[in-house]
Amino acid sequence: MSPNEYKDSRSTPYPLPFHRLIESLRNLPGIGVKTATKLAFHLLKAPVEEVCQLSQDLLQLREALDLCPQCQNIMEPMEEKSLPCSICRNPSRDGATVMVVEDVQTLYAIERSGEFRGLYHVLMGRLSPLEGIGPDALRIQELARRMDSGEVHELILATSPTAEGEATALYLSRLFKPMGLKVSRIAFGIPIGLELEFVDDITLIRSVEGRRPM
Ligand SMILES: [Zn+2]
């Protein structure tokens, strides 16, 4: 490594490896330099086994997780690759109702409330013409394929109440309503513009209960 690459560290009082760890932690959402430094000092003092376990978990995060072939939820890899996740496989859940969410965080936020007994579909994003994200970049084709089975009767569109989330809901409504599906949009006691993953569980489940037809 050339000395020039050390440039960033000149402004910090810390040795380079410690400085790098702080910078890596700072890249995580919601972590500022103060929290990153606190975490780095914690890891410095923590037992070596604990730190090894953490680094192993981080390394395996991508390798040891698959996406459910049906709903795109994250799941442990199965020997039989076509098997869906535990939510999709649960026979006590209502397969006629599918809630469409932007991301896995929102799925788990709704799941934590324990009130929704249907299935999910994770879009892996939302329409954003400005960022060049069109329908093909989302898991909309997979959703359309699920409709082919005829088992789904209602789609609950639970995209965020942002301009892009609303545009995504409108697009899906126009696509699926003509197929004879009941399509509803969750009601918002939720501040407009807020990402759903940050909404508290009770507000979230009330907004599902108060959904309105589209
Ligand atoms: Zn699934």
Side-chain angles (χ1 to χ4, degrees), residues 90-118:
N90 185 341
S92 71
R93 299 194 70 128
D94 169 22
T97 308
V98 170
M99 188 179 303
V100 181
V101 294
E102 288 172 16
D103 46 41
V104 175
Q105 291 102 298
T106 309
L107 182 157
Y108 281 102
I110 293 168
E111 211 38 25
R112 273 198 305 272
S113 74
E115 306 248 352
F116 179 65
R117 299 306 300 160

Side-chain angles (χ1 to χ4, degrees), residues 68-73 75 84-89 120 146:
C68 170
Q70 180 163 286
C71 75
Q72 330 294 320
N73 181 18
M75 61 186 278
C85 71
S86 55
I87 297 176
C88 289
R89 286 202 315 270
Y120 296 94
R146 287 178 75 175

Side-chain angles (χ1 to χ4, degrees), residues 115-139:
E115 306 248 352
F116 179 65
R117 299 306 300 160
L119 301 182
Y120 296 94
H121 192 86
V122 184
L123 291 173
M124 311 291 267
R126 58 191 154 190
L127 295 177
S128 176
L130 287 176
E131 291 170 50
I133 302 172
D136 290 345
L138 304 179
R139 304 299 173 106

